[in-house]
Amino acid sequence: MTSQGAVTAADPGAAVTRRADARRVTGRSGRGTGRPGRDRGRKRLEILFFVAPALALMAIFVVYPVFSAARMSFYRWKGFGPMVDFVGLQNYVRVLADDVFTDAVVHNFVIVFASILVQLPLGLALALLLNRRIRGRGLLRTIIFVPYVLAEVIAGVVWFQLLQPRSGLLETMLTSVGFPVPEQGFLGTPDLALATVFVVLTWKYLGLAVLLFLAGLQGVPDELHEAAQLDGASWWQAQRRIAIPLLAPTIRTWCFLSMIGSLQLFDMVWILTGGGPANATTTMATYLVSQGTQRSNFGIAGAASVVLFLIGFALAVAYQFLVLRRDTEADT
Amino acid sequence: MARRAMTYGRGGPLVYLVALAVVALTLGPVLYGALGGFRSNEQLARDPAALPDPWLLRNYEGVLGNPDFWQYALNSTAIALITTAVAVLAGVMAAYPLARYQFRFREPLFLVFVLGLLFPAAVAIVPLFILVTRDLQLGNTWWGVALPQAAFALPTTVVILRPFLMALPKEVEEAAMIDGASRIGIFWRIALPLSMPGLVTVGVLAFVASWNAYLLPLLLLQGEMRTLPLGVADFSTEHSADTAGVLAFTTIAMIPALVLFLAMQRRIVGGLQGAVKG
């Protein structure tokens, strides 16, 4: 994401710090003498001034809690009194031996792969479609993005109503056309619940994929399409040989975002199934939240957090190394 | 000229058919919710797919006359505004030196923010809960939810704003320097106004993310401090028999984020495109 290109003008610090107003930052009075040491000091203070609020927020509310979760994972702690009962890796052993957690990991990865196998082609197809000159294209793009704007919880509540066993609209419609409907409803049947959650997630997040792909397609010059057409290529050939390859970096970015999102899945599952039935839709996040807040097993929750973080981190590093590196290599 | 004559890339009937199906599938659940709010539970039970007959306003009136709803809406608005203000201000301040200063730790510092994208709020949620309620004594307050949300919105904000600030023409700044403006003055009077489109993008994203947030408010807020998503979830479990009432409540809770998005759509899309390309 970093583009080294159009960076700053030749080191602006030296020119600026000579200005009197730099006093406001440094609190010092008197104009700069132009001594390089003092200029550098002022520049550092300015940078610090600009960056400090953000770094402080990140340190307090992101970094500290993550480390604190890691520390918690080595203790048996119910949330009362000081954290003294050090148990080493015992919490990790318990988490990794817990079928509910290992199933949760599997569920997260099912969602990761299903997203790439289903949402990617669907999103791509829709983006290519919406990139054609059809009437009402702008409106279509807006409409397809609507679910993405809704809160997962709010969308989840509506879908929960739609999916109600027997009385819900979906079952009523399916029954009326003779489609076999499970006794317990789609969310109540262990074998179908995760797939159902995935369908709802696809409805919710397909718009983001389409929007990103459309953005990428705008980078494909019209001339290429025209040239392809003059050469007698069909529309599909042009897409496959020109548009899709040029879209590859956007696709890789989307895959990355989608993977990270799939690993962190919480809201939709919590609303639709609460992780049930029979833990069939538990994710790592629902597992650690229920351990931490409902059972006060803070050590277990900490260990699950660390495992979730490590899996995400490993995946991100691997992806960067194996896939995204191609983008940077292609540039050089 | 030539392009207009081409049929290539145009939509045929099939394309329109697919587009129509997509619209139906996308808007179906939303319309079901909105229309369901105009029906009675008895109507819903009789034929879930029918239009309201007669159209009833009482569910929506019930929601709008419910003081809890307004309390939740106020909480959501206040928290989202604080989150947005803190995230945008801290974010643009951090992005500024990362875009327009040369210093040794610039790229490593930027990497800190990029890595921040990888930290899911769920990982830190239990310690965050303890930190906010016990150590900071901010449990069940607007700030207690807004500050962590702003912190988690920062990586996106910085990552989107940096290329924006990089693209500002350096001549304007140089001219201001020659006129004797300070770095802070330049930031305040030149960089901020010029990057306003980017600020709007990240502002809307932070606002919508905060407005839609569930996990953190779920743990931190109780009683009448709760936000709309929590209110919707609670209402739907407490009034599970009153489907029409739930649908009305849910539909009204959707409106603010939708309106904000529709009003700001172009800018959000522009900002996202910049971020993806960069």
Side-chain angles (χ1 to χ4, degrees), chain B residues 66-263:
Chain B
N66 182 345
D68 284 349
F69 170 82
W70 293 104
Q71 183 64 46
Y72 300 154
L74 172 71
N75 295 334
S76 280
T77 311
I79 291 170
L81 285 177
I82 300 172
T83 305
T84 307
V86 174
V88 171
L89 187 65
V92 71
M93 282 176 73
Y96 184 67
L98 289 173
R100 303 198 77 81
Y101 276 68
Q102 292 282 7
F103 56 101
R104 203 189 328 157
F105 298 110
R106 196 174 78 156
E107 294 313 310
L109 192 61
F110 182 62
L111 196 65
V112 170
F113 290 102
V114 174
L115 280 178
L117 289 172
L118 289 179
F119 286 84
V123 166
I125 198 69
V126 175
L128 208 49
F129 169 73
I130 295 169
L131 172 78
V132 171
T133 50
R134 196 174 301 175
D135 302 339
L136 300 176
Q137 299 288 324
L138 287 174
N140 222 20
T141 64
W142 291 343
W143 286 91
V145 177
L147 289 178
Q149 276 180 359
F152 279 94
L154 270 175
T156 328
T157 312
V158 171
V159 167
I160 293 183
L161 282 181
R162 191 192 192 213
F164 237 99
L165 289 164
M166 277 179 165
L168 298 183
K170 60 185 186 232
E171 290 77 13
V172 190
E173 283 190 357
E174 281 166 1
M177 275 178 209
I178 291 166
D179 291 345
S182 71
R183 202 67 193 180
I184 311 268
I186 290 172
F187 170 76
W188 193 250
R189 274 180 250 131
I190 296 171
L192 272 191
L194 284 179
S195 52
M196 204 41 93
L199 297 184
V200 172
T201 305
V202 293
V204 173
L205 289 178
F207 189 94
V208 171
S210 168
W211 185 272
N212 289 346
Y214 180 57
L215 180 52
L216 199 60
L218 176 70
L219 298 190
L220 290 178
L221 301 173
Q222 295 95 36
E224 58 175 30
M225 290 306 294
R226 282 175 299 182
T227 55
L228 266 180
L230 300 182
V232 169
D234 287 349
F235 192 89
S236 99
T237 37
E238 282 161 21
H239 301 77
S240 52
D242 181 14
T243 309
V246 170
L247 291 176
F249 199 126
T250 314
T251 303
I252 294 188
M254 287 177 184
I255 293 174
L258 275 181
V259 168
L260 187 71
F261 167 73
L262 291 178

Side-chain angles (χ1 to χ4, degrees), chain A residues 251-296:
Chain A
I251 291 174
R252 289 197 276 267
T253 307
W254 174 83
C255 284
F256 182 72
L257 294 175
S258 165
M259 276 167 25
I260 297 294
S262 302
L263 288 182
Q264 301 173 0
L265 186 58
F266 175 83
D267 294 5
M268 190 62 88
V269 172
W270 201 249
I271 290 297
L272 286 180
T273 64
N279 294 315
T281 57
T282 323
T283 64
M284 288 187 273
T286 65
Y287 178 88
L288 76 90
V289 168
S290 75
Q291 287 288 348
T293 61
Q294 294 175 345
R295 303 183 204 179
S296 294

Side-chain angles (χ1 to χ4, degrees), chain A residues 8 43 46 132 229 238, chain B residues 6 8 10 100-102 182:
Chain A
T8 4
K43 188 176 136 190
E46 284 172 20
R132 300 174 77 139
Q229 194 189 8
Chain B
M6 284 197 243
Y8 190 71
R10 283 263 185 86
R100 303 198 77 81
Y101 276 68
Q102 292 282 7
S182 71

Side-chain angles (χ1 to χ4, degrees), chain A residues 53-120:
Chain A
L55 282 185
L57 276 171
M58 296 270 288
I60 296 171
F61 293 107
V62 182
V63 179
Y64 169 77
V66 170
F67 276 100
S68 166
R71 193 169 92 89
M72 210 179 271
S73 69
F74 295 110
Y75 291 84
R76 181 180 297 124
W77 190 49
K78 282 286 184 180
F80 310 108
M83 218 191 287
V84 284
D85 196 0
F86 185 84
V87 295
L89 292 175
Q90 202 182 307
N91 287 324
Y92 288 90
V93 173
R94 282 178 59 191
V95 164
L96 295 175
D98 187 350
D99 287 346
V100 178
F101 184 77
T102 46
D103 285 352
V105 178
V106 172
H107 298 152
N108 278 115
F109 274 94
V110 167
I111 300 284
V112 167
F113 288 115
S115 303
I116 291 171
L117 290 178
V118 176
Q119 291 173 2
L120 177 59

Side-chain angles (χ1 to χ4, degrees), chain A residues 3-23:
Chain A
S3 56
Q4 297 279 14
V7 189
T8 4
D11 188 5
V16 193
T17 39
R18 238 167 264 141
R19 298 296 157 201
D21 285 1
R23 273 178 297 171

